[in-house]
């Protein structure tokens, strides 16, 4: 019992010492979420020869409203439309034509981007709501799988040949 009491006392003293030591550090650090204070900018040096300010404009005539000088708002930057093709076209021929456009580029674009979206999310998607599903036609399905494998292997000539076969089958 006495050993437990002594051990408890040592633990309490050690914790108290740590708290007292850490407290000034925490106070000195302040709020770490608070952004750092900005440094004051030095005052601009006056120019050697500054022209005298223009006299105030004459008061407008009785029938004319006063024009308040408002700063022009900065024009907003227009976002350039991306050159990347997006979405799955409607209809099997449109999907194949879209893939053919992508396959024309040299070097062949990565399969993992838009081509996989059209092949997996369109041609091979077995759903009646699909935009260009060929899931019911086994011969065409095998050709599309072969196309996907050739595209992954970056075999451009084989991809273009398969796309020609598919476009003949789709029409």
């Amino acid at each position: 019992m006495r050993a437990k009491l002594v051990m408890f006392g040592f633990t309490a003293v050690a914790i108290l010492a740590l708290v007292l030591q850490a407290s000034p550090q925490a106070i000195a650090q302040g709020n770490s979420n608070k952004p750092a204070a900005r440094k004051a900018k030095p005052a601009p040096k006056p120019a050697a020869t500054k022209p005298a300010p223009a006299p105030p404009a004459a008061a407008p005539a009785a029938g004319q409203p006063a024009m308040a000088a408002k700063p022009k708002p900065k024009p907003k930057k227009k976002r350039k439309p991306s050159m990347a093709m997006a979405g799955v076209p409607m209809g099997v021929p449109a999907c194949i034509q879209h893939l053919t456009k992508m396959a024309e580029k040299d070097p062949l674009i990565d399969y993992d981007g838009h081509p996989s979206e059209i092949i997996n999310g369109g041609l091979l998607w077995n759903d009646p709501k699909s935009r260009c599903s060929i899931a019911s036609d086994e011969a065409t399905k095998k050709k599309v799988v072969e196309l996907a494998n050739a595209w992954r292997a970056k075999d451009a000539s084989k991809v273009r040949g398969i796309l020609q076969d598919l476009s003949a089958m789709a029409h």
Side-chain angles (χ1 to χ4, degrees), residues 60-139:
Q64 295 177 346
M67 297 284 287
K70 292 183 182 177
K72 289 185 180 179
K74 291 184 180 178
K76 292 182 181 178
K77 291 183 180 179
K78 292 184 180 177
R79 207 166 117 192
K80 290 183 180 179
S82 67
M83 298 307 291
M85 300 176 195
V88 177
M90 190 74 161
V92 175
C95 282
I96 293 172
Q97 184 179 5
H98 199 68
L99 286 169
T100 305
K101 276 185 188 177
M102 287 187 279
E104 289 172 353
K105 295 180 181 170
D106 212 21
L108 197 61
I109 63 173
D110 286 335
Y111 173 77
D112 293 328
H114 194 54
S116 75
E117 180 184 353
I118 292 176
I119 291 173
N120 296 331
L123 294 170
L124 294 177
W125 193 25
N126 191 10
D127 188 1
K129 294 180 182 178
S130 174
R131 305 189 106 204
C132 60
S133 177
I134 52 126
S136 60
D137 187 7
E138 288 299 318

Side-chain angles (χ1 to χ4, degrees), residues 4-53:
K4 286 183 183 178
L5 211 51
V6 169
M7 205 56 164
F8 179 74
F10 281 129
T11 307
V13 169
I15 290 174
L16 185 62
L18 287 174
V19 168
L20 291 176
Q21 184 180 12
S23 183
Q25 290 174 354
I27 292 170
Q29 182 182 8
N31 186 356
S32 61
N33 294 332
K34 187 176 172 183
R38 293 185 180 174
K39 292 182 180 178
K41 291 182 181 178
K45 295 179 181 178
T49 57
K50 225 179 192 182

Side-chain angles (χ1 to χ4, degrees), residues 143-165:
K143 278 280 190 196
V144 171
V145 170
E146 188 179 339
L147 169 71
N149 290 335
W151 207 310
R152 281 188 195 106
K154 296 233 182 224
D155 188 354
S157 60
K158 190 173 182 181
V159 167
R160 292 177 187 130
I162 294 170
L163 283 169
Q164 286 178 347
D165 294 344

